[in-house]
Amino acid sequence: MEHGVLVPPVYSPISPAIHPRHERIDQQTAAWAKSFDIGSRELREKLIGHDIGTFAARILPDGDEEVISLLADFVLWLFGVDDGHCEEGELGADPRELVPELSRLLRVAQNPEAAMLTDDSLAAGLRDLRYRMNLHATPGQVARWVDALREYFLSVVWEASHRSKGTIPDLNDYTLMRLYDGATSVVMPLLEMGYGYELQPHERDSTAVRAAAEMAYFIITWDNDLFSYHKESRGSQYYLNVLRVLEHHHAMGPAEALETAVAQRDRVMCLFLRLSAHLAASGSPQLRQYLESLTSFIRAAQDWGISSRRYTTPEDPADLPTTFRDTPTDDSTEPLDIPAVSWWWDVVPDGPVPAAPPAPRHRQPAGGDVGARVLVGDPLPSTPSQFTARTAG
């Protein structure tokens, strides 16, 4: 790696899991990307080789196959936006032009029937994603997905403003931005859809549950910064990474910055596990499934991060770890000195962690307990997609 820094195995007490149809899902996502011409030909071929379907199959290892396929296509689409528009495209250094482009895409997500961007491949792919989402999501889940997409777009514009000036945000601002520009929050509604339920607002929107979700975002994005550092630092383009932030604003050398970032994510991982256990002990079956899915999301990102060609870069090997450690480097219960997230420590109860019932790992059957499954309403009028029911049979 740059400066000779090697990423060590990271702390992960979470067991790996994967949907048995992951190879099929990966092939279908490759076909979807080609059908909708996502990104340039060169970018599209790269994305197809990144095993994104396998990543989605790890996030929802027991989930509905059609939702997993939808998630995989959506993640590839996000990379088409992030890599094509933001990191490698001209718009990524011009926030004034990026804002209206992303606003138009957001309108397509919100109202896919709108006659906008009719010749744009990313917009066409987004329409297909939205129409398929209507088959699995409640109106509330769709609305939250659009809101999360808005947060993601806002964060990439924020990053573009730094890229345009060549500036590096401080650690607090970077942390706040990274919670959203890692495109983690946009996955949350699909975690529910994958198991056929809708988490009720009194649980999902509570401060403690929101904190647990943000902790998962933090762990996933900090891990991604570690695993992607080789790829990003080797390129000639501007990049933002927690290691670069620590080196620039805290006068750390590369090895110290790496050690600090690992300690930060370990401390948050310990906090996440404690809070999740407390929430699961008193929460509904749907909340336990949601927490289980957050945990699967963390481990999925780790397994994918150390194995995907996106980060291993075989043409210039990144020498990433191939295993994980079972003990943290930092298990302190003191808050991180980052105001944007230090409040997380205030929502974790003191005392021993109570035992909790196991989380359900399978979707509730249709027609079952209404409290356990919220059936979706009628989909919006839509143009049938050739990919809508492609996983049947």
Side-chain angles (χ1 to χ4, degrees), residues 98-111:
L98 186 59
V99 167
E101 179 66 17
L102 294 180
S103 296
R104 287 187 284 268
L105 285 173
L106 187 66
R107 189 59 172 176
V108 169
Q110 193 171 43
N111 292 94

Side-chain angles (χ1 to χ4, degrees), residues 17-223:
I18 190 168
H19 193 278
R21 305 291 287 276
H22 61 92
E23 292 181 350
R24 172 186 170 99
I25 293 166
D26 206 55
Q27 292 167 358
Q28 291 170 335
T29 291
W32 184 85
K34 292 176 181 177
S35 178
F36 284 94
D37 292 327
I38 301 299
S40 66
R41 182 184 181 89
E42 179 182 6
L43 174 59
R44 184 164 58 251
E45 290 304 314
K46 285 183 179 179
L47 294 177
I48 287 172
H50 290 169
D51 300 321
I52 292 173
T54 300
F55 176 36
R58 292 184 184 279
I59 295 174
L60 297 171
D62 296 304
D64 182 288
E65 188 176 340
E66 289 190 14
V67 177
I68 299 171
S69 196
L70 172 61
L71 173 59
D73 296 350
F74 178 45
V75 172
L76 187 142
W77 183 88
L78 287 167
F79 280 124
V81 173
D82 192 54
D83 290 359
H85 271 345
C86 301
E87 292 191 3
E88 300 175 11
E90 294 180 0
L91 292 178
D94 190 347
R96 290 174 299 180
E97 293 298 323
L98 186 59
V99 167
E101 179 66 17
L102 294 180
S103 296
R104 287 187 284 268
L105 285 173
L106 187 66
R107 189 59 172 176
V108 169
Q110 193 171 43
N111 292 94
E113 68 278 7
M116 298 173 59
L117 300 177
T118 54
D119 295 325
D120 185 280
S121 60
L122 282 174
L126 184 59
R127 281 191 175 90
D128 179 76
L129 294 169
R130 170 60 196 277
Y131 288 138
R132 289 157 60 197
M133 188 171 290
N134 291 340
L135 301 178
H136 302 279
T138 67
Q141 287 169 332
V142 171
R144 289 193 299 278
W145 175 72
V146 172
D147 286 344
L149 200 58
R150 182 181 294 109
E151 289 179 332
Y152 166 66
F153 285 167
L154 177 63
S155 68
V156 298
V157 170
W158 186 5
E159 183 175 357
S161 70
H162 282 286
R163 185 181 291 109
S164 68
K165 297 177 289 187
T167 53
I168 301 174
D170 63 27
L171 181 59
N172 187 63
D173 280 357
Y174 178 76
T175 301
L176 182 59
M177 177 176 69
R178 200 70 175 106
L179 293 177
Y180 302 105
D181 82 342
T184 45
S185 61
V186 291
V187 171
M188 294 300 106
L190 286 97
L191 298 186
E192 299 176 23
M193 292 157 50
Y195 293 101
Y197 70 95
E198 183 172 36
L199 191 61
Q200 295 304 295
H202 75 275
E203 288 191 312
R204 184 188 55 253
D205 298 334
S206 70
T207 301
V209 174
R210 181 165 60 88
E214 290 189 359
M215 292 175 201
Y217 306 163
F218 182 97
I219 297 163
I220 291 167
T221 54
W222 249 235
D223 284 348

